[in-house]
């Protein structure tokens, strides 16, 4: 009897569980879907980092390039045929491209805000790391580039002014933190933490100076330009003498070496915006950028291992080339010679091809955008949060 009663209890329990499962299949499916969605979001936020703003940085540079080419007045000179083409395409293609760049930047910004809210310790570890902290400049640089290239907002207007303050103040705050550490904190001297990504801080100041010059704020532009260039000189000498930890960079991050010629390229554009012409100083910075670019492309073996498998670090190639192409357009407009226009056409074609190729590679390898062996993510994990 006891055995029969026990078997009846078990049967009733099984029937009760079965009936409960059958009564709420939708609830269970919703629970499973919600849990899987949360797991996917957690995985996404843990692997996501500020280095992904390389994409918006490149697209923002391309948008500024398209606006520059389309806004240049056309002439009867045959060498300006390319500019006339961009001027004709301006009403349709440029606003669409700019809107796409804005959408991607907003998406990346929202993801990083969620990362700050739910994984603040990882963000802090990224901030305290000598490589990860430099890419915290990337979102603000991207916003400044889109602000400069906006087809819907003119400089010297109140919205432009408010947005400039909103994007420039974080750059200055990061400057105070990073530049202060270089000469006040024992374990964070420039000679021990400097690497090619450290030039992002310089680029942030220079882009902010260029945007301020477009508003007519010459003093603010000169202030940011001086901060960027003084620290660039020290940083350039440190990296040139190989006194830093640049050789500690993972192989996959070697595309960031292209930042060597991005800084002087942006500096030439910023100085032109301040003085109003592509003068001797702008030309000197442009030639320095061109020389460093030539030095890097003549050493393809440096990047061979980093190109074996797609990684988001490949986007580091696009922005520097775009800034050099932008400087070449101003140089060709100032010099008005055959060689200068041939150089401009070559750099423009290279910039478009690099950006287009990276876009195609990204779409074709979307599953590899968040790899388990991401260089910056692994670097942050290897170096725990500590001050």
């Amino acid at each position: 009897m006891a055995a029969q009663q026990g078997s009846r209890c078990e049967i009733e329990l099984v029937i009760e569980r079965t009936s409960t499962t059958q009564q709420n299949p939708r609830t269970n499916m919703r629970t499973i879907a919600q849990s899987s969605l949360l797991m996917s979001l957690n995985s996404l936020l843990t692997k996501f980092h500020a280095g992904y703003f390389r994409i918006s940085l490149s697209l923002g540079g391309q948008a500024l390039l398209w606006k520059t080419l389309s806004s240049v007045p056309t002439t009867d000179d045959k060498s300006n045929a390319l500019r006339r083409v961009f001027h004709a395409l301006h009403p349709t293609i440029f606003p669409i491209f700019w809107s796409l760049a804005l959408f991607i930047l907003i998406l990346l910004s929202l993801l990083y805000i969620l990362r700050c809210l739910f994984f603040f310790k990882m963000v802090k570890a990224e901030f305290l790391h000598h490589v990860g902290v430099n890419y915290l400049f990337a979102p603000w640089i991207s916003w400044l580039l889109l602000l400069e290239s906006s087809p819907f907002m003119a400089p010297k207007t109140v919205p432009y002014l408010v947005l400039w303050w909103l994007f420039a103040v974080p750059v200055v705050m990061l400057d105070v933190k990073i530049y202060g550490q270089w000469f006040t904190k024992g374990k964070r001297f420039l000679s021990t933490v400097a690497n090619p990504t450290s030039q992002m801080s310089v680029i942030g100041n220079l882009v902010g100076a260029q945007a301020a010059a477009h508003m007519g704020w010459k003093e603010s532009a000169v202030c940011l330009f001086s901060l960027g260039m003084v620290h660039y000189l020290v940083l350039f000498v440190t990296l040139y003498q190989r006194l830093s930890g640049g050789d500690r960079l993972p192989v996959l991050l070697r595309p960031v070496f292209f930042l060597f010629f991005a800084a002087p390229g942006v500096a030439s554009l910023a100085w032109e915006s301040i003085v109003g012409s592509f003068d001797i100083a702008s030309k000197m910075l442009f030639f320095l950028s061109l020389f460093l670019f030539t030095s890097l492309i003549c050493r393809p073996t440096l990047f061979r291992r980093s190109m074996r498998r797609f990684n988001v670090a490949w986007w580091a190639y696009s922005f520097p080339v775009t800034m050099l192409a932008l400087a070449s357009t101003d140089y060709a407009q100032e010099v008005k010679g055959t060689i200068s226009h041939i150089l401009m056409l070559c750099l423009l074609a290279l910039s478009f091809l690099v950006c287009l190729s990276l876009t195609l590679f990204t779409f074709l390898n979307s599953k590899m955008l968040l790899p388990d062996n991401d260089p910056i993510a692994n670097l942050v994990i290897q170096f725990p949060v500590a001050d």
Side-chain angles (χ1 to χ4, degrees), residues 172-362:
V172 177
M173 294 175 63
L174 286 171
D175 286 342
V176 173
K177 177 66 175 179
I178 293 178
Y179 294 160
Q181 288 178 347
W182 286 359
F183 60 87
T184 61
K185 209 154 190 175
K187 294 182 180 181
R188 296 178 188 243
F189 283 138
L190 179 61
S191 58
T192 59
V193 300
N195 60 86
T197 62
S198 300
Q199 297 172 98
M200 291 294 297
S201 61
V202 174
I203 295 173
N205 288 282
L206 297 175
V207 173
Q210 186 179 7
H214 289 164
M215 293 190 301
W217 285 28
K218 299 295 183 181
E219 298 302 318
S220 300
V222 172
C223 175
L224 291 175
F225 183 85
S226 61
L227 284 176
M229 288 309 297
V230 168
H231 287 91
Y232 173 70
L233 292 175
V234 179
L235 180 62
F236 181 76
V237 172
T238 303
L239 294 173
Y240 208 91
Q241 294 179 335
R242 303 183 68 84
L243 297 177
S244 70
D247 53 353
R248 292 182 295 163
L249 284 175
V251 175
L252 292 178
L253 285 181
R254 285 185 179 176
V256 302
F257 277 88
F258 268 49
L259 291 174
F260 272 104
F261 66 87
V266 178
S268 66
L269 296 170
W271 184 250
E272 181 200 19
S273 300
I274 293 173
V275 301
S277 63
F278 205 81
D279 60 1
I280 298 298
S282 295
K283 292 179 182 178
M284 292 172 62
L285 291 168
F286 168 67
F287 289 139
L288 174 60
S289 179
L290 186 62
F291 169 76
L292 295 175
F293 168 72
T294 307
S295 300
L296 286 173
I297 62 173
C298 289
R299 293 166 175 81
T301 54
L302 179 66
F303 309 99
R304 182 183 302 171
R305 293 176 60 189
S306 63
M307 299 297 293
R308 291 178 179 176
R309 190 176 182 181
F310 175 76
N311 190 278
V312 72
W314 287 16
W315 279 94
Y317 291 122
S318 180
F319 175 74
V321 176
T322 301
M323 292 297 103
L324 183 59
L326 258 172
S328 70
T329 60
D330 294 337
Y331 176 73
Q333 187 179 358
E334 177 70 22
V335 176
K336 293 183 175 62
T338 303
I339 297 178
S340 63
H341 280 85
I342 292 175
L343 178 63
M344 178 194 69
L345 292 175
C346 292
L347 291 175
L348 287 176
L350 180 62
S351 175
F352 298 147
L353 288 175
V354 169
C355 187
L356 179 61
S357 301
L358 289 173
T359 303
L360 293 176
F361 273 114
T362 302

Side-chain angles (χ1 to χ4, degrees), residues 42-64:
N42 288 337
S43 177
L44 171 64
L45 295 179
T46 53
K47 295 179 181 180
F48 185 78
H49 52 77
Y52 283 86
F53 283 97
R54 297 186 191 98
I55 301 175
S56 61
L57 197 65
S58 302
L59 296 178
Q62 280 291 316
L64 185 60

